Amino acid sequence: VASHGNSDGGMAGMDMSGMDMGSDAGVNLSVGAAGMDLNDIEYDAYLANDRTLDDPEVVQVERGGRVRLRIINGATATGFTIDLNGLTGKLLAVDGQAIVPLEVRQVPLTMGQRADIRIDLPKEGGAFPIVALREGSVQRTGIVLATPGAKIAGMSTATENAGPVLD
């Protein structure tokens, strides 16, 4: 750490005469939901196992079966919330570390984070989308868990409401 010999951070000797210091020259440092820079990188698609929701990966599962999902947010600049779309799961591990199981319907995942979620599927079977909602945006991606003979409806890569902001 360099010392500049004064307590004002070394600015006392700087010539600021050419800088406009009018009332409009300042920087607004207040941060509200509208002012946050959540996603400064835009992508044309978000993928789950190399596919979009336009043509999602369909994982065959058994009626009334139990599935353990290991979900990794491989993004370098995007947070997601994993939404079980009406199913309830048990969060078993975070970043490879076992935790006291926690009942969940949504799980936030920041960049590089991992979650293990156990889901007990309904006995009547069906198709169960598991989606990743982009933080602060309507974009999403995901996979579909489906029992034999289940009808798989098409899904949009966008939702009506923006995904939750991770805290």
Side-chain angles (χ1 to χ4, degrees):
V1 175
S3 173
H4 295 285
N6 58 37
S7 62
D8 65 1
M11 295 180 68
M14 294 180 75
D15 178 11
M16 295 184 198
S17 61
M19 295 179 71
D20 178 5
M21 295 295 184
S23 61
D24 294 335
V27 175
N28 181 3
L29 296 178
S30 64
V31 178
M36 292 173 45
D37 185 13
L38 295 175
N39 298 298
D40 58 349
I41 299 172
E42 291 291 329
Y43 296 100
D44 59 348
Y46 289 89
L47 306 176
N49 292 347
D50 291 328
R51 298 172 84 160
T52 67
L53 279 175
D54 294 329
D55 180 29
E57 178 175 6
V58 177
V59 178
Q60 292 296 313
V61 294
E62 297 176 13
R63 287 181 171 86
R66 178 175 278 179
V67 176
R68 183 173 180 147
L69 300 174
R70 176 162 290 155
I71 302 172
I72 302 168
N73 180 356
T76 59
T78 308
F80 290 93
T81 295
I82 305 306
D83 188 344
L84 303 180
N85 271 310
L87 294 177
T88 300
K90 293 271 186 184
L91 182 62
L92 303 175
V94 176
D95 292 333
Q97 302 297 312
I99 63 168
V100 174
L102 178 66
E103 194 169 282
V104 295
R105 289 180 177 259
Q106 292 188 329
V107 177
L109 286 181
T110 192
M111 289 69 76
Q113 195 169 28
R114 183 174 103 188
D116 290 1
I117 305 168
R118 183 182 66 216
I119 300 173
D120 291 319
L121 298 167
K123 289 181 176 42
E124 58 273 7
F128 309 100
I130 307 297
V131 297
L133 306 169
R134 182 180 173 200
E135 178 181 28
S137 173
V138 297
Q139 295 168 305
R140 66 182 178 173
T141 189
I143 65 168
V144 177
L145 305 176
T147 58
K151 184 171 184 166
I152 301 167
M155 292 187 68
S156 171
T157 58
T159 64
E160 292 180 20
N161 300 315
V165 175
L166 280 61
D167 63 4

